Amino acid sequence: MTEHVMKILIIGDGKVGKSSFVQRYVNGKFNSTYKTTVGADFSVKVLQWSDKEKVRLHLWDIAGQERFISMTRAYYKGALGCVVMFDVTSSSSFLRCLHWKQDLDNKAMLPNGDSIPCILLANKCDLSQWVVSTDSINKFSQANGFIAWMVTSVKDNKNIEEAMRRLVEEILSVQ
Ligand code: GDP
């Protein structure tokens, strides 16, 4: 049995759903009043990937931009994959994804110097008041080197497993 250990960063503005995403993915729960514990901690999820492979994910949930100022390279060190998340009802959270991606690429890279695989998630798709068009997300994703983008709803448990599976596939393929 081979076990792959992967450090994955979950980044994006505050309130877009990052800690809810981790909570949903790891514990299968959604709680609208769930509060993040402060500190650069990680959650663990183990996947039986194939007959002979396990994947142990260490999910590092960064808090909102206010805490980001104090984030150091140590936070990014050793990361093999990244989720950049925004909220489809917040155009500012979408615009800030450029900053998040650039910052990631400045501070983290694979041992061979390539940028680390990163998926863009358009969260809260269950809400009706979208302010970001799929066309602009598509263009942004392609222009900025994301491996893919997906709509998600942590609330409705839509595309959570699928998004992480897509990211893990990419990580395994570049190793
Ligand atoms: P974080 O600051 O990025 O970690 O965001 P949180 O996980 O704390 O989520 C912020 C708020 O958005 C909370 O009230 C969540 O319940 C809510 N939320 C998260 N994901 C979704 C979603 O997919 N749909 C809806 N409607 N609300 C969500």
Side-chain angles (χ1 to χ4, degrees):
M1 180 72 72
T2 309
E3 188 177 82
H4 306 276
V5 179
M6 299 177 183
K7 177 176 177 178
I8 311 275
L9 308 176
I10 319 291
I11 60 181
D13 273 9
K15 303 287 170 229
V16 299
K18 301 180 300 300
S19 55
S20 302
F21 177 84
V22 172
Q23 167 88 345
R24 166 69 88 187
Y25 185 56
V26 171
N27 300 320
K29 291 185 196 142
F30 178 76
N31 179 347
S32 59
T33 58
Y34 175 76
K35 260 277 131 262
T36 336
T37 46
V38 176
D41 211 348
F42 63 84
S43 306
V44 178
K45 168 101 173 174
V46 180
L47 304 173
Q48 185 72 46
W49 192 256
S50 67
D51 288 351
K52 293 187 176 138
E53 286 171 300
K54 271 190 183 174
V55 173
R56 180 177 291 268
L57 299 172
H58 290 178
L59 303 164
W60 292 67
D61 170 19
I62 197 174
Q65 64 189 92
E66 54 287 347
R67 270 186 66 226
F68 176 69
I69 296 153
S70 63
M71 282 292 165
T72 64
R73 279 172 195 273
Y75 175 80
Y76 292 87
K77 195 172 185 321
L80 294 180
C82 182
V83 171
V84 174
M85 181 179 282
F86 68 96
D87 169 351
V88 294
T89 69
S90 159
S91 54
S92 64
S93 75
F94 174 60
L95 294 173
R96 286 267 301 167
C97 289
L98 178 61
H99 159 84
W100 288 111
K101 180 67 164 67
Q102 288 177 341
D103 206 74
L104 173 75
D105 290 343
N106 283 334
K107 290 184 175 156
M109 58 177 72
L110 295 177
N112 69 7
D114 286 350
S115 55
I116 69 173
C118 190
I119 193 165
L120 179 65
L121 300 186
N123 191 39
K124 306 196 188 181
C125 72
D126 56 284
L127 298 176
S128 53
Q129 55 282 33
W130 282 48
V131 296
V132 185
S133 71
T134 55
D135 191 44
S136 57
I137 305 169
N138 218 359
K139 285 190 178 127
F140 174 77
S141 173
Q142 287 183 7
N144 291 285
F146 289 90
I147 59 166
W149 74 275
M150 288 171 105
V151 291
T152 57
S153 169
V154 176
K155 187 176 178 212
D156 291 351
N157 202 11
K158 182 177 174 180
N159 276 345
I160 309 304
E161 304 264 341
E162 290 82 352
M164 291 305 296
R165 182 156 281 274
R166 178 73 184 78
L167 181 61
V168 169
E169 272 167 11
E170 186 73 20
I171 293 168
L172 289 170
S173 76
V174 297
Q175 288 200 327

